[in-house]
Structure formats: C-alpha cells, structure tokens
Amino acid sequence: MKGPEPGSHRRRRARGRAQPMAEINITPFVDVMLVLLIIFMVAAPLMTVGVPVELPQTAASALPMDEEEPLTVTVTDTGALLIQTAEVAEADLVPRLQAIAAERSSTRIYLRADGQNAWTRVAQVMGALNAGGFSDIGLVTDAGGPRMGAL
C-alpha cells in the first residue's frame, strides 16, 4: 500500500476528537416554530368559551369591558341555566351568584338568552341575577339586527 504522494493536497482527518461546529443550524427550529404557529392559528378560534345559543339580533352597541373576566349566565332554548359553562339548578342560582358576588369587585354580569325563550323567563332570570347581588346586567345579543324606525 502506498501512502499519499508528497505534494498532494488531500488532508487526512486527525484521529481522536472531531472539531465542534462553530455554526448553529436553525432550520429545524424554524420548521417547528412554523408548525406551532399554524396549529395555534387554527386552534385559537375554536377555544372561545361559551354555550351555543341563538342570540337575538339587535342594533345595540357593545358595552365597555371591565378588568375582571366577564361573568355570564346563559339561558338555553330548553330553559336550562348555566353560569359560565357549568349548569346550575334553578334553586341554586341565587346562592351561587351571592357567593360569586362576594368575591368580585364588579357588579356587572352578562345574560345570554336564546331567542326562543319567552320574555317572562328572561325577566325571571334577571330578577334572580339582581337578588344574587349583580345590579349591572348586560343583555348579550348579536349585532346587525334591525333598527327601530328603519325601513
């Protein structure tokens, strides 16, 4: 066997430890970040909290938001009552609201009622909200409804 000829420019790798790379390959990192970005962009609209109800449409403007997380009570089309997303028996509504009101600084509460409910049912729930310690009741509706007096 003959070794490399003198004057050849081929270098042999030194045996032992290899030299560390001085460059960082960020391509896999960028790929993972782009995949995560797409996942969050697709999942974000699905993470909205709420109970599906068909809200009536009105021409009312939005209420200003508080610093606290908004508290909502929902009346479904079947008449079931929910605080946020937890179903509550009608007899337990006022005591639960009183316990919640004792821990909150705001007296604002939002009432979401399906459009299929009778006004009597909505008025009864509004009375229970007031008895529970919430005097600032906002009715949640969908925007884009008809205006009064408009043709």
Side-chain angles (χ1 to χ4, degrees):
M1 262 176 98
K2 217 172 176 185
E5 295 183 11
S8 89
H9 295 289
R10 290 184 3 184
R11 291 186 180 171
R12 279 197 171 168
R13 191 167 225 184
R15 295 190 190 247
R17 295 183 55 179
Q19 295 281 341
M21 285 184 58
E23 299 172 2
I24 298 174
N25 187 2
I26 63 166
T27 304
F29 176 73
V30 172
D31 290 345
V32 169
M33 288 297 120
L34 288 174
V35 169
L36 288 174
L37 176 67
I38 292 170
I39 289 171
F40 286 125
M41 287 173 52
V42 171
L46 303 175
M47 296 173 65
T48 56
V49 176
V51 179
V53 290
E54 191 173 322
L55 297 172
Q57 292 185 343
T58 64
S61 60
L63 293 172
M65 295 299 292
D66 289 335
E67 294 82 31
E68 290 181 314
E69 180 184 351
L71 181 65
T72 59
V73 171
T74 305
V75 184
T76 64
D77 57 346
T78 60
L81 297 171
L82 294 100
I83 298 178
Q84 297 296 70
T85 56
E87 191 165 350
V88 177
E90 197 168 324
D92 295 336
L93 181 63
V94 174
R96 281 235 182 128
L97 289 173
Q98 288 172 339
I100 294 170
E103 297 176 5
R104 293 177 64 92
S105 62
S106 173
T107 61
R108 177 172 287 174
I109 191 166
Y110 295 100
L111 176 60
R112 301 174 69 232
D114 193 282
Q116 302 301 315
N117 283 297
W119 171 245
T120 306
R121 176 71 173 157
V122 176
Q124 289 170 347
V125 173
M126 287 178 68
L129 297 179
N130 196 336
F134 293 94
S135 58
D136 190 1
I137 302 169
L139 295 175
V140 179
T141 59
D142 279 337
R147 295 189 177 274
M148 298 290 289
L151 297 175

